[in-house]
Amino acid sequence: MAQKKQKYDRQLRIWGEHGQEALENAKVCLLNCGPTGSEALKNLVLGGIGSFTIVDGKKVEPSDLGNNFLLDHDSLGSSRAKTATSLLQELNDTVDAQFVEESPEALLNSNPGFFGDFTLVIATQLTESALLKLDKICREHSVTLLVARSYGLAGLVRISTEEHTVIESKPDSAVEDLRFHCPWPALTEYAADFDIDTKDPLTHKHIPYGIILLKVTEEWKASHDGKLPANSKERAEFKEAIKARTNPLEEEENYKEALAAAFKVWSPPSISSELRTVLDDRAAETLDAKSPVFWILVAALNAFVKGEGAGELPLEGSIPDMTSFTESYVGLQRVYQEKALSDAAAVEGHVRRLLKKLGREPASISPPTVKHFCKNARNLRVLRYRPLAEEYGAVGNKKGELQSLLGSEDNSHAALYLLLRGADHFAATYNRFPGVFDSELEEDVSRLKAVAGGLLNEGGSGAALPDDYVTEVCRFGAGHQADHEAVCTTVGNVPLQRDGILIGCAKPLTIVDAPLFGETPRESKRNALNFMLGRKRNVACVSHENERDSLEMSDASLRSHLSEVFPGRRRD
Amino acid sequence: MGAMDTGNMEGRWRDLDYLLLRQGNIVGPGFEPAPEIRDFLQDDFKVLVIGAGGLGCELLKDLALSGFGHIDVIDMDTIDVSNLNRQFLFRMHDVGKPKATVAAERVMKRVKGVTVIPHHCRIEEKPDEFYKDFHIIVLGLDSLEARSYINSVVCSFLEYDADGTLDMSTIKPMVDGGTEGFKGHARVILPGVTPCFHCTLWLFPPQTTFPLCTLAETPRSPAHCIEYAHLIQWGQERTSETFDADNPEHMKWMYEQALKRAEQFNISGVTYSLTQGVVKNIIPAIASTNAIIAASCSLEALKIATMCSSGMDNYMMYVGTQGVYTHTVSYEKDMSCIVCSLGVPVHADADSTLDQFMKQLIADDRFSGKLSKPSVSHLGENLYMAAPPILEEMTRENLSKSLVELLGEKGGTVNVNDKKLAGVLRVQVAFSDAASEPNAMDTAGAG
């Protein structure tokens, strides 16, 4: 146990015990153990998932030895699934390792129920028709599907699941909820014991800034009809009122902190629009005897906000460090913690009431669960992903959006998305992927262009697709399951990041991408990522358009330099 | 199957060959597809990986499977249990063994035909010449200090012609990766062309420190209590011992003292894990971020070596905390960077002696603490050598010569060496009474 804690120490510091528990309960199924799949599974095994099952019907070939670290020379000719399973098992003996020596496509036909037994199915290098079947099965059994496709120097990942809810989303920077604008009685009472005009310099410089702000706010309200500073002039006056209290003879950190934090008085954290969407979600309004615990908690939270909370969330309860005497600080901390406890108790009351109403055991959701939920209330997340059938079918309807994206300055996402999907359609038509034969490379460029263009527009020419990318995708010749190890490592791992998927309590995996394939606004979580590692913008995402850099110029200058840097580096 | 078996049977490198044997539209400068490129990669190209930790393990695997045939790896650490959640080349029974050695063995065993040479030592223990021997250096490090050191060494290889033009053959490309939890970066450094570490030092956030008086008098957080035990109590109570964070007894003592102090002040939250985290400044780490960053670094190394695809310019940040976000920025070189630039501009009097000039350099704030007994050379000629004695004697007479006599009418670039410097300091001397400014701007094209 101690050793386990030590072994997982570096990751426990990120996702904590809850995350680790979720990981250890996860049953993962991998379809195809090429480099993409092997790499994804390798890092899940290292992290300590409960079990995995590899489904792969192929034998180890020479090309596997050029890109897959989990297949070795000695296993040439034997089962890929078996070899990868045994080499993965070496990495972590606590993981239960299984394999099925059969092609995923065959298994989909012969035993579709097989997939219902997993937490997560990772489908790598499958084409559209197989994915459509698989997605349907996974949704029927509430299994999360993760699609990963590597293609030369490009790739695409996609999550598909009905609904994924996250409580412990562990934001990078915690929002400080300090309530200076609306202190509760116990806080006002605690502050009353401090004299911010005390003549004792040592005491004066050790009053926590929270107390200073509470006192100055109180005075301000008294002289301004109970209102807070409302404009920049008033805010400047408010700050002056703080400055006027400082002792000019002393270096007073606490007053500096009070000035720096003064904005918290007039701009307290509000309920984000994202959270508001969760609170107002239909799932919380239409509870029934089978509703997930998450939605009962959300309904209780909403009742609190509308009731006792008077528009505020339950208090989170922690406070930032403040220069002060230990005792003053610890005392202040306690006041906040007590309020957090009483808010959580109020939410718990709503939970019991709701459970009773639904005919469920009122104690079936434990007080620690409610407390934990309240502590994380500000960052609750709900992610919903469209079925693949909808995405694949919708392209035709969204052709206008796609076309306008293709015409935009940065059209790489749209182009790669269409081309990677186009390659599958190409394969369905020609029974091979574009670019596998040198002799037909040129013809394949125009063929792929037409096929990918056809996704946009029935009978379209694909003229809007940038030639550079069409040529590049053909150049990759990625008809095989195999690909470039480093690219596969990325494709295999990107989806494992911050995985709300396995580590239900950590942050959600919102794979970002092309908004045009997005959902209705209410569910708009972009859910595919396509990228190309051969480009200067290695992994491309479109969610932060405003930060786009203008690399064309510098890229050109770098190119000219590079040609000078390595003039004779190759053998002639 | 003998010792010479490279495992290169027909079809093994099929996918790499598609890139190396086919022309493309998005390729690096001067790329001409040819089978010789893979031969070059496997037979002649030498790559050095610094660090055999989380990134290092991934890098070695990725580079070996990208076709690189000769890899060296340097790491001073031994394997710890807490490495095993991500450093996949190591097993429980390897704990205590040198990382570099075990990593090299495992990669060679799994990937036939690759040679991985381990170096179990500190990077400072290797002479500069060692680093000169590689075509490219890939960094998988976790400290700013180590990065700065290797950066200085690599930048010291740069040579500029008399007219300030960078000699391109002296550039040693570096690819650097770094991760922390779900975040990471990959960057390409072409010293003298793209910004070096020193040009963009500001990218590294300052470390959090607590005022000593808070620790001693008004602790408020568990971290305050831990740092008190660490920075103050140990020195007072275990005077004769040096604290070793890897010694379990030391760490236990630290935890117990911190806990006592926290109880005394009514502070909750001191745990053994937090104590370790604060004292060792532990950076959380997971396998998948390392895999993503290392993959990007390896691809950049492959692109630099073969030009089979256009390269990154020049810094990619990756954030996996919420969804997946990446952004590539082209940072700009600091034209007066004291590490990689043509030279730090220094104004001097044309008539001042070399001795006076050296004293002026020592007194210059920009080099404070970096110079004590400098040696100076100009266009490959030693003007003054502080050591060894025989050279010192031979060059001593220059000390009384004037700069104009030694450097000519226009001044020029002098290379300054000093024991305290990790690499060479290039100083661009302009004469104060001359009409022209230091010609940094004229040669800006070099960057």
Side-chain angles (χ1 to χ4, degrees):
Chain A
M1 189 61 207
Q3 197 173 50
K4 188 177 129 187
K5 236 182 158 165
Q6 226 182 323
K7 181 164 118 183
Y8 296 133
D9 179 85
R10 297 303 186 268
Q11 67 195 45
L12 285 170
R13 286 173 195 276
I14 301 176
W15 52 63
E17 309 276 343
H18 288 123
Q20 189 63 30
E21 199 185 310
L23 203 55
E24 285 170 18
N25 288 329
K27 294 160 84 177
V28 178
C29 175
L30 170 68
L31 307 185
N32 287 325
C33 59
T36 309
S38 300
E39 278 299 323
L41 205 47
K42 160 182 142 265
N43 293 330
L44 288 173
V45 167
L46 286 167
I49 47 170
S51 71
F52 71 80
T53 305
I54 295 178
V55 180
D56 191 312
K58 294 199 184 62
K59 307 284 186 215
V60 180
E61 289 178 31
S63 63
D64 290 315
L65 306 178
N67 65 21
N68 197 332
F69 200 76
L70 289 153
L71 299 173
D72 63 0
H73 204 269
D74 296 339
S75 60
L76 208 60
S78 38
S79 156
R80 290 213 307 189
K82 186 181 172 189
T83 309
T85 300
S86 89
L87 293 181
L88 281 162
Q89 180 79 80
E90 275 182 24
L91 300 178
N92 196 341
D93 56 15
T94 62
V95 179
D96 178 34
Q98 308 280 339
F99 69 92
V100 175
E101 203 185 336
E102 194 174 349
S103 89
E105 287 88 348
L107 194 58
L108 265 169
N109 287 327
S110 65
N111 186 9
F114 172 86
F115 301 96
D117 198 31
F118 298 97
T119 321
L120 172 71
V121 173
I122 304 176
T124 69
Q125 310 302 77
L126 286 191
T127 53
E128 269 185 27
S129 56
L131 287 172
L132 285 171
K133 271 186 213 161
L134 182 62
D135 189 38
K136 199 158 164 277
I137 298 167
C138 286
R139 283 182 181 253
E140 275 165 18
H141 294 88
S142 299
V143 174
T144 299
L145 172 64
L146 204 155
V147 178
R149 183 73 191 272
S150 302
Y151 202 100
L153 291 177
L156 186 145
V157 291
R158 158 76 144 104
I159 289 172
S160 179
T161 190
E162 194 81 38
E163 177 179 287
H164 179 64
T165 58
V166 184
I167 296 174
E168 210 175 321
S169 67
K170 298 196 187 259
D172 271 346
S173 47
V175 172
E176 288 169 6
D177 187 3
L178 299 172
R179 308 282 165 96
F180 297 144
H181 65 297
C182 61
W184 62 97
L187 182 60
T188 312
E189 226 168 87
Y190 184 75
D193 288 344
F194 290 83
D195 174 9
I196 62 168
D197 298 314
T198 176
K199 294 283 176 267
D200 174 27
L202 192 66
T203 307
H204 194 258
K205 68 191 267 191
H206 283 97
I207 300 166
Y209 80 73
I211 302 291
I212 299 171
L213 289 176
L214 282 165
K215 292 271 199 176
V216 176
T217 306
E218 201 171 36
E219 288 173 12
W220 178 276
K221 279 184 173 171
S223 58
H224 290 80
D225 288 336
K227 294 198 176 77
L228 294 168
N231 50 47
S232 55
K233 185 173 156 280
E234 290 192 356
R235 288 166 189 167
E237 282 171 29
F238 185 90
K239 288 187 179 180
E240 283 308 318
I242 299 172
K243 277 187 207 158
R245 313 304 260 271
T246 56
N247 178 351
L249 303 174
E250 291 275 347
E251 186 78 0
E252 296 189 311
E253 283 302 322
N254 57 338
Y255 277 86
K256 281 187 205 159
E257 290 169 357
L259 278 171
F263 74 94
K264 292 174 188 169
V265 171
W266 49 80
S267 43
S270 57
I271 294 177
S272 68
S273 58
E274 193 175 358
L275 179 59
R276 182 61 70 192
T277 312
V278 176
L279 290 174
D280 295 342
D281 198 289
R282 262 180 60 81
E285 283 167 12
T286 54
L287 294 177
D288 59 39
K290 284 184 185 154
S291 290
V293 168
F294 179 86
W295 290 112
I296 296 172
L297 288 165
V298 170
L301 180 68
N302 208 9
F304 174 90
V305 173
K306 288 179 176 155
E308 303 91 326
E312 298 279 351
L313 289 170
L315 190 74
E316 197 267 340
S318 56
I319 59 173
D321 189 28
M322 302 177 185
T323 298
S324 70
F325 289 136
T326 303
E327 206 185 322
S328 326
Y329 179 80
V330 172
L332 187 62
Q333 218 173 18
R334 198 175 307 123
V335 175
Y336 276 86
Q337 282 162 359
E338 278 163 8
K339 167 74 170 155
L341 283 179
S342 82
D343 282 0
V347 175
E348 206 192 315
H350 290 291
V351 170
R352 285 168 174 274
R353 181 179 53 77
L354 285 167
L355 285 171
K356 210 170 157 191
K357 207 170 111 189
L358 296 170
R360 290 162 68 163
E361 168 56 42
S364 63
I365 301 178
S366 72
T369 304
V370 179
K371 228 171 99 181
H372 179 247
F373 181 82
C374 289
K375 205 164 173 53
N376 292 286
R378 201 168 285 282
N379 298 295
L380 300 176
R381 281 175 187 279
V382 175
L383 301 165
R384 295 188 176 114
Y385 300 90
R386 277 190 312 173
L388 293 183
E390 236 174 87
E391 177 191 330
Y392 294 165
V395 174
N397 307 331
K398 304 235 178 185
K399 64 182 181 186
E401 278 171 88
L402 255 173
Q403 246 148 2
S404 81
L405 252 191
L406 275 179
S408 71
E409 191 191 348
D410 181 5
N411 55 11
S412 57
H413 308 281
L416 280 170
Y417 175 82
L418 279 170
L419 288 167
L420 293 193
R421 289 203 44 217
D424 277 3
H425 286 250
F426 184 107
T429 309
Y430 297 94
N431 215 15
R432 64 173 174 85
F433 283 89
V436 286
F437 300 124
D438 286 334
S439 56
E440 297 196 44
L441 203 46
E442 252 172 69
E443 289 91 329
D444 281 359
V445 170
S446 45
R447 285 171 185 153
L448 175 62
K449 207 167 175 173
V451 173
L455 291 172
L456 261 186
N457 192 346
E458 211 62 54
S461 66
L465 289 161
D467 284 335
D468 281 358
Y469 287 101
V470 186
T471 311
E472 202 63 9
V473 168
C474 289
R475 179 189 177 212
F476 297 153
H480 324 273
Q481 293 301 321
D483 268 298
H484 305 283
E485 196 273 346
V487 180
C488 296
T489 299
T490 309
V491 177
N493 281 289
V494 161
L496 305 182
Q497 286 280 300
R498 203 44 140 187
D499 49 347
I501 294 308
L502 283 186
I503 307 159
C505 61
K507 275 198 190 160
L509 176 109
T510 321
I511 298 286
V512 184
D513 191 10
L516 63 149
F517 317 115
E519 328 294 332
T520 58
R522 183 180 160 86
E523 299 171 308
S524 90
K525 277 299 147 238
R526 294 134 181 206
N527 57 6
L529 168 78
N530 47 53
F531 54 88
M532 179 153 165
L533 290 144
R535 285 298 280 160
K536 58 205 178 205
R537 301 220 301 161
N538 268 25
V539 180
C541 301
V542 292
S543 67
H544 297 258
E545 292 287 310
N546 51 335
E547 288 187 60
R548 187 182 303 139
D549 33 307
S550 55
L551 277 169
E552 291 305 329
M553 281 293 291
S554 48
D555 192 39
S557 70
L558 183 69
R559 278 164 190 241
S560 72
H561 279 301
L562 275 169
S563 58
E564 290 177 69
V565 174
F566 308 107
R569 73 190 191 296
R570 276 185 221 114
R571 272 199 325 195
D572 287 315
Chain B
M1 302 243 172
M4 294 302 287
D5 182 16
T6 58
N8 281 349
M9 67 226 4
E10 180 74 29
R12 182 183 182 193
W13 300 102
R14 182 187 59 204
D15 302 293
L16 178 62
D17 284 345
Y18 277 132
L19 289 181
L20 302 184
L21 298 176
R22 289 176 167 184
Q23 189 55 273
N25 293 357
I26 312 175
V27 295
F31 174 68
E32 286 297 336
E36 288 79 14
I37 302 177
R38 176 151 67 79
D39 297 341
F40 168 73
L41 208 57
Q42 296 187 322
D43 303 337
D44 304 320
F45 202 86
K46 287 192 71 183
V47 52
L48 172 66
V49 174
I50 303 188
L55 281 170
C57 285
E58 288 284 337
L59 285 168
L60 290 172
K61 170 199 67 158
D62 294 349
L63 291 167
L65 288 172
S66 297
F68 288 92
H70 296 274
I71 307 171
D72 282 44
V73 58
I74 178 167
D75 195 304
M76 61 183 227
D77 276 342
T78 53
I79 298 158
D80 183 77
V81 178
S82 65
N83 301 147
L84 301 180
N85 80 325
R86 61 197 186 284
Q87 300 177 17
F88 67 97
L89 296 174
F90 311 140
R91 310 279 175 269
M92 198 56 94
H93 63 258
D94 296 322
V95 169
K97 293 181 195 164
K99 286 186 178 180
T101 317
V102 177
E105 262 171 36
R106 294 273 145 79
V107 172
M108 283 203 282
K109 187 161 178 279
R110 191 68 63 85
V111 184
K112 208 156 210 172
V114 68
T115 306
V116 185
I117 301 174
H119 305 269
H120 176 222
C121 63
R122 301 181 64 86
I123 51 175
E124 300 89 341
E125 286 171 43
K126 293 284 181 190
D128 291 359
E129 289 304 310
F130 169 81
Y131 296 103
K132 219 171 210 172
D133 204 28
F134 298 95
H135 293 93
I136 188 167
I137 299 177
V138 187
L139 311 180
L141 289 163
D142 59 1
S143 90
L144 179 55
E145 291 73 27
R147 284 191 178 94
S148 289
Y149 177 82
I150 200 70
N151 185 57
S152 301
V153 171
V154 167
C155 290
S156 74
F157 298 155
L158 295 176
E159 283 169 26
Y160 291 87
D161 298 342
D163 65 352
T165 314
L166 177 62
D167 176 352
M168 293 288 183
S169 70
T170 62
I171 293 176
K172 184 81 58 200
M174 285 193 287
V175 182
D176 171 59
T179 72
E180 177 173 353
F182 282 98
K183 298 177 194 163
H185 78 260
R187 68 188 293 190
V188 173
I189 297 179
L190 303 171
V193 179
T194 67
C196 76
F197 282 112
H198 203 271
C199 293
T200 52
L201 262 190
W202 51 269
L203 280 169
F204 295 88
Q207 291 213 329
T208 48
T209 52
F210 304 114
L212 279 180
C213 62
T214 294
L215 301 185
E217 288 158 26
T218 56
R220 296 175 295 274
S221 70
H224 290 158
C225 301
I226 295 163
E227 282 294 36
Y228 179 80
H230 178 212
L231 300 174
I232 298 170
Q233 246 176 315
W234 181 278
Q236 287 172 348
E237 295 175 29
R238 300 183 69 162
T239 40
S240 59
E241 292 166 276
T242 310
F243 174 69
D244 173 10
D246 292 323
N247 181 326
E249 188 275 321
H250 288 190
M251 194 55 83
K252 187 160 168 276
W253 185 91
M254 204 60 71
Y255 162 62
E256 282 162 359
Q257 302 310 311
L259 191 62
K260 262 188 228 164
R261 187 165 174 82
E263 277 164 5
Q264 186 191 331
F265 283 93
N266 250 325
I267 296 166
S268 59
V270 172
T271 61
Y272 187 76
S273 164
L274 182 68
T275 309
Q276 276 187 312
V278 170
V279 171
K280 295 170 88 167
N281 191 22
I282 290 178
I283 299 164
I286 51 172
S288 53
T289 312
N290 284 329
I292 289 165
I293 295 300
S296 174
C297 291
S298 302
L299 270 176
E300 290 311 314
L302 178 70
K303 291 191 235 167
I304 291 171
T306 68
M307 292 290 152
C308 69
S309 189
S310 71
M312 177 197 295
D313 177 22
N314 46 43
Y315 184 104
M316 188 269 290
M317 62 173 283
Y318 171 85
V319 184
T321 41
Q322 205 177 90
V324 171
Y325 172 67
T326 78
H327 184 63
T328 304
V329 189
S330 178
Y331 283 122
E332 286 186 13
K333 206 166 101 69
D334 175 357
M335 287 304 171
S336 59
C337 173
I338 66 163
V339 180
C340 73
S341 74
L342 164 63
V344 185
V346 169
H347 290 270
D349 193 333
D351 295 328
S352 64
T353 63
L354 181 60
D355 190 40
Q356 286 168 328
F357 173 68
M358 281 163 54
K359 289 192 170 114
Q360 178 187 339
L361 289 183
I362 294 169
D364 195 314
D365 282 346
R366 290 173 292 183
F367 324 124
S368 71
K370 292 198 173 72
L371 301 176
S372 60
K373 281 180 156 181
S375 299
V376 179
S377 63
H378 174 58
L379 295 179
E381 189 194 338
N382 293 328
L383 297 185
Y384 177 73
M385 295 294 285
I390 181 138
L391 279 180
E392 197 278 335
E393 204 185 317
M394 282 167 64
T395 52
R396 197 184 299 156
E397 61 172 354
N398 282 340
L399 285 176
S400 53
K401 289 185 186 162
S402 73
L403 288 181
V404 68
E405 202 178 333
L406 293 167
L407 307 177
E409 291 291 331
K410 288 183 171 169
T413 303
V414 296
N415 287 355
V416 180
N417 280 292
D418 197 293
K419 270 195 300 200
K420 290 190 175 178
L421 288 168
V424 69
L425 171 66
R426 274 178 292 272
V427 172
Q428 207 189 340
V429 185
F431 297 135
S432 307
D433 48 357
S436 68
E437 287 291 295
N439 62 340
M441 296 319 291
D442 301 344
T443 55

